[in-house]
CSV table of all heavy atoms in Angstrom, one decimal:
chain,number,residue,atom,x,y,z
A,21,LYS,N,111.5,207.9,114.5
A,21,LYS,CA,110.7,206.7,114.4
A,21,LYS,C,109.2,206.9,114.3
A,21,LYS,O,108.5,206.3,113.5
A,21,LYS,CB,111.0,205.8,115.6
A,21,LYS,CG,112.4,205.2,115.7
A,21,LYS,CD,112.6,204.4,116.9
A,21,LYS,CE,114.0,203.8,117.0
A,21,LYS,NZ,114.3,203.1,118.2
A,22,TYR,N,108.7,207.9,115.1
A,22,TYR,CA,107.3,208.2,115.0
A,22,TYR,C,106.9,208.8,113.7
A,22,TYR,O,105.9,208.3,113.1
A,22,TYR,CB,106.9,209.2,116.2
A,22,TYR,CG,105.5,209.5,116.2
A,22,TYR,CD1,104.5,208.6,116.5
A,22,TYR,CD2,105.0,210.8,115.8
A,22,TYR,CE1,103.2,208.9,116.5
A,22,TYR,CE2,103.7,211.1,115.8
A,22,TYR,CZ,102.8,210.1,116.1
A,22,TYR,OH,101.4,210.4,116.1
A,23,PHE,N,107.6,209.7,113.2
A,23,PHE,CA,107.2,210.3,111.9
A,23,PHE,C,107.3,209.2,110.7
A,23,PHE,O,106.5,209.3,109.8
A,23,PHE,CB,108.1,211.5,111.5
A,23,PHE,CG,107.6,212.7,112.3
A,23,PHE,CD1,108.5,213.4,113.1
A,23,PHE,CD2,106.3,213.2,112.2
A,23,PHE,CE1,108.1,214.5,113.8
A,23,PHE,CE2,105.9,214.3,113.0
A,23,PHE,CZ,106.8,215.0,113.8
A,24,LYS,N,108.3,208.3,110.9
A,24,LYS,CA,108.4,207.2,109.9
A,24,LYS,C,107.2,206.4,109.9
A,24,LYS,O,106.7,205.9,108.9
A,24,LYS,CB,109.7,206.4,110.2
A,24,LYS,CG,109.9,205.2,109.3
A,24,LYS,CD,110.3,205.7,107.9
A,24,LYS,CE,110.7,204.6,107.0
A,24,LYS,NZ,111.1,205.0,105.7
A,25,SER,N,106.6,206.1,111.1
A,25,SER,CA,105.4,205.3,111.3
A,25,SER,C,104.2,206.0,110.7
A,25,SER,O,103.2,205.3,110.3
A,25,SER,CB,105.2,205.0,112.7
A,25,SER,OG,104.7,206.1,113.4
A,26,LEU,N,104.3,207.3,110.5
A,26,LEU,CA,103.1,208.0,109.9
A,26,LEU,C,103.3,208.1,108.4
A,26,LEU,O,102.4,208.7,107.7
A,26,LEU,CB,103.1,209.5,110.5
A,26,LEU,CG,102.7,209.6,112.0
A,26,LEU,CD1,102.7,211.1,112.4
A,26,LEU,CD2,101.4,209.0,112.3
A,27,GLY,N,104.4,207.5,107.9
A,27,GLY,CA,104.6,207.6,106.4
A,27,GLY,C,105.4,208.7,105.9
A,27,GLY,O,105.6,208.9,104.7
A,28,ALA,N,106.1,209.4,106.9
A,28,ALA,CA,106.9,210.5,106.4
A,28,ALA,C,108.2,210.0,105.8
A,28,ALA,O,108.7,208.9,106.2
A,28,ALA,CB,107.3,211.4,107.6
A,29,GLU,N,108.7,210.7,104.9
A,29,GLU,CA,110.0,210.3,104.2
A,29,GLU,C,111.2,210.7,105.1
A,29,GLU,O,111.8,211.7,104.9
A,29,GLU,CB,110.1,210.9,102.8
A,29,GLU,CG,109.0,210.4,101.9
A,29,GLU,CD,109.2,211.0,100.5
A,29,GLU,OE1,110.2,211.7,100.2
A,29,GLU,OE2,108.3,210.8,99.6
A,30,ILE,N,111.5,209.9,106.1
A,30,ILE,CA,112.6,210.1,107.0
A,30,ILE,C,113.1,208.8,107.5
A,30,ILE,O,112.4,207.9,107.7
A,30,ILE,CB,112.1,211.0,108.2
A,30,ILE,CG1,113.3,211.5,109.0
A,30,ILE,CG2,111.0,210.3,109.0
A,30,ILE,CD1,113.0,212.5,110.1
A,31,SER,N,114.4,208.7,107.6
A,31,SER,CA,115.0,207.5,108.1
A,31,SER,C,114.8,207.4,109.7
A,31,SER,O,114.7,208.4,110.4
A,31,SER,CB,116.5,207.5,107.8
A,31,SER,OG,117.2,206.5,108.5
A,32,GLU,N,114.8,206.2,110.2
A,32,GLU,CA,114.8,206.0,111.6
A,32,GLU,C,116.1,206.1,112.3
A,32,GLU,O,116.2,206.1,113.5
A,32,GLU,CB,114.2,204.6,111.9
A,32,GLU,CG,112.7,204.4,111.5
A,32,GLU,CD,112.1,203.1,111.9
A,32,GLU,OE1,112.9,202.3,112.6
A,32,GLU,OE2,111.0,202.8,111.6
A,33,GLU,N,117.2,206.2,111.5
A,33,GLU,CA,118.5,206.2,112.0
A,33,GLU,C,119.0,207.6,112.2
A,33,GLU,O,118.5,208.6,111.5
A,33,GLU,CB,119.5,205.5,111.0
A,33,GLU,CG,119.1,204.1,110.7
A,33,GLU,CD,119.1,203.2,111.9
A,33,GLU,OE1,120.0,203.4,112.8
A,33,GLU,OE2,118.3,202.3,112.0
A,34,LYS,N,119.8,207.8,113.2
A,34,LYS,CA,120.4,209.1,113.4
A,34,LYS,C,121.3,209.6,112.2
A,34,LYS,O,121.8,208.7,111.5
A,34,LYS,CB,121.3,209.1,114.7
A,34,LYS,CG,120.6,208.8,116.0
A,34,LYS,CD,121.5,208.8,117.1
A,34,LYS,CE,120.8,208.6,118.4
A,34,LYS,NZ,121.8,208.6,119.6
A,35,SER,N,121.3,210.9,112.0
A,35,SER,CA,122.2,211.4,110.9
A,35,SER,C,123.6,211.4,111.3
A,35,SER,O,124.0,211.8,112.5
A,35,SER,CB,121.7,212.8,110.6
A,35,SER,OG,122.7,213.4,109.7
A,36,PRO,N,124.5,211.0,110.4
A,36,PRO,CA,125.9,211.0,110.7
A,36,PRO,C,126.5,212.4,110.8
A,36,PRO,O,127.6,212.6,111.3
A,36,PRO,CB,126.5,210.2,109.6
A,36,PRO,CG,125.6,210.4,108.4
A,36,PRO,CD,124.2,210.4,109.1
A,37,LYS,N,125.6,213.4,110.4
A,37,LYS,CA,126.1,214.8,110.4
A,37,LYS,C,125.8,215.4,111.8
A,37,LYS,O,126.2,216.6,112.0
A,37,LYS,CB,125.4,215.6,109.3
A,37,LYS,CG,125.7,215.1,107.9
A,37,LYS,CD,124.9,215.9,106.9
A,37,LYS,CE,125.2,215.5,105.5
A,37,LYS,NZ,124.4,216.3,104.5
A,38,GLY,N,125.1,214.7,112.7
A,38,GLY,CA,124.9,215.2,114.0
A,38,GLY,C,123.5,215.7,114.2
A,38,GLY,O,122.6,215.6,113.4
A,39,ILE,N,123.3,216.2,115.4
A,39,ILE,CA,121.9,216.6,115.9
A,39,ILE,C,121.3,217.7,115.1
A,39,ILE,O,120.1,217.8,114.9
A,39,ILE,CB,122.0,217.0,117.4
A,39,ILE,CG1,120.6,217.2,118.0
A,39,ILE,CG2,122.8,218.3,117.6
A,39,ILE,CD1,119.7,216.0,117.9
A,40,GLU,N,122.2,218.6,114.6
A,40,GLU,CA,121.7,219.7,113.7
A,40,GLU,C,120.9,219.2,112.5
A,40,GLU,O,119.8,219.6,112.2
A,40,GLU,CB,122.8,220.6,113.3
A,40,GLU,CG,123.3,221.6,114.3
A,40,GLU,CD,124.2,222.7,113.7
A,40,GLU,OE1,124.2,222.8,112.5
A,40,GLU,OE2,124.9,223.4,114.5
A,41,ASP,N,121.5,218.2,111.9
A,41,ASP,CA,120.8,217.6,110.7
A,41,ASP,C,119.6,216.8,111.1
A,41,ASP,O,118.6,216.8,110.4
A,41,ASP,CB,121.8,216.8,109.9
A,41,ASP,CG,121.3,216.4,108.5
A,41,ASP,OD1,121.0,217.3,107.8
A,41,ASP,OD2,121.2,215.2,108.2
A,42,ASP,N,119.7,216.1,112.3
A,42,ASP,CA,118.5,215.4,112.8
A,42,ASP,C,117.3,216.3,112.9
A,42,ASP,O,116.2,216.0,112.4
A,42,ASP,CB,118.9,214.8,114.1
A,42,ASP,CG,119.6,213.5,114.0
A,42,ASP,OD1,119.4,212.7,113.1
A,42,ASP,OD2,120.5,213.2,114.9
A,43,LEU,N,117.6,217.4,113.6
A,43,LEU,CA,116.4,218.3,113.8
A,43,LEU,C,115.9,219.0,112.5
A,43,LEU,O,114.7,219.2,112.3
A,43,LEU,CB,116.9,219.4,114.8
A,43,LEU,CG,115.7,220.2,115.4
A,43,LEU,CD1,114.6,219.4,116.0
A,43,LEU,CD2,116.2,221.3,116.3
A,44,HIS,N,116.9,219.3,111.6
A,44,HIS,CA,116.5,219.8,110.3
A,44,HIS,C,115.5,218.9,109.6
A,44,HIS,O,114.5,219.3,109.1
A,44,HIS,CB,117.7,220.0,109.5
A,44,HIS,CG,117.5,220.8,108.2
A,44,HIS,ND1,118.4,220.9,107.2
A,44,HIS,CD2,116.3,221.4,107.7
A,44,HIS,CE1,117.9,221.6,106.2
A,44,HIS,NE2,116.6,221.9,106.5
A,45,LYS,N,115.9,217.6,109.6
A,45,LYS,CA,115.0,216.6,109.0
A,45,LYS,C,113.7,216.4,109.7
A,45,LYS,O,112.6,216.3,109.0
A,45,LYS,CB,115.7,215.2,109.0
A,45,LYS,CG,117.0,215.2,108.1
A,45,LYS,CD,116.7,215.3,106.6
A,45,LYS,CE,118.0,214.8,105.8
A,45,LYS,NZ,119.2,215.6,106.1
A,46,ILE,N,113.7,216.4,111.0
A,46,ILE,CA,112.5,216.3,111.8
A,46,ILE,C,111.5,217.4,111.5
A,46,ILE,O,110.3,217.2,111.3
A,46,ILE,CB,112.8,216.1,113.3
A,46,ILE,CG1,113.5,214.8,113.6
A,46,ILE,CG2,111.5,216.3,114.1
A,46,ILE,CD1,114.1,214.7,114.9
A,47,VAL,N,112.0,218.6,111.6
A,47,VAL,CA,111.1,219.8,111.4
A,47,VAL,C,110.6,219.8,110.0
A,47,VAL,O,109.4,220.2,109.8
A,47,VAL,CB,111.9,221.1,111.7
A,47,VAL,CG1,111.0,222.3,111.4
A,47,VAL,CG2,112.3,221.2,113.2
A,48,GLY,N,111.3,219.3,109.0
A,48,GLY,CA,110.9,219.3,107.7
A,48,GLY,C,109.7,218.3,107.4
A,48,GLY,O,109.0,218.5,106.4
Side-chain angles (χ1 to χ4, degrees):
K21 291 177 179 179
Y22 179 69
F23 284 123
K24 181 69 174 180
S25 73
L26 293 180
E29 294 184 8
I30 188 171
S31 169
E32 293 185 4
E33 304 298 325
K34 293 181 181 179
S35 170
K37 298 180 181 179
I39 189 63
E40 284 193 10
D41 193 56
D42 278 326
L43 192 54
H44 187 189
K45 296 289 196 305
I46 289 167
V47 175

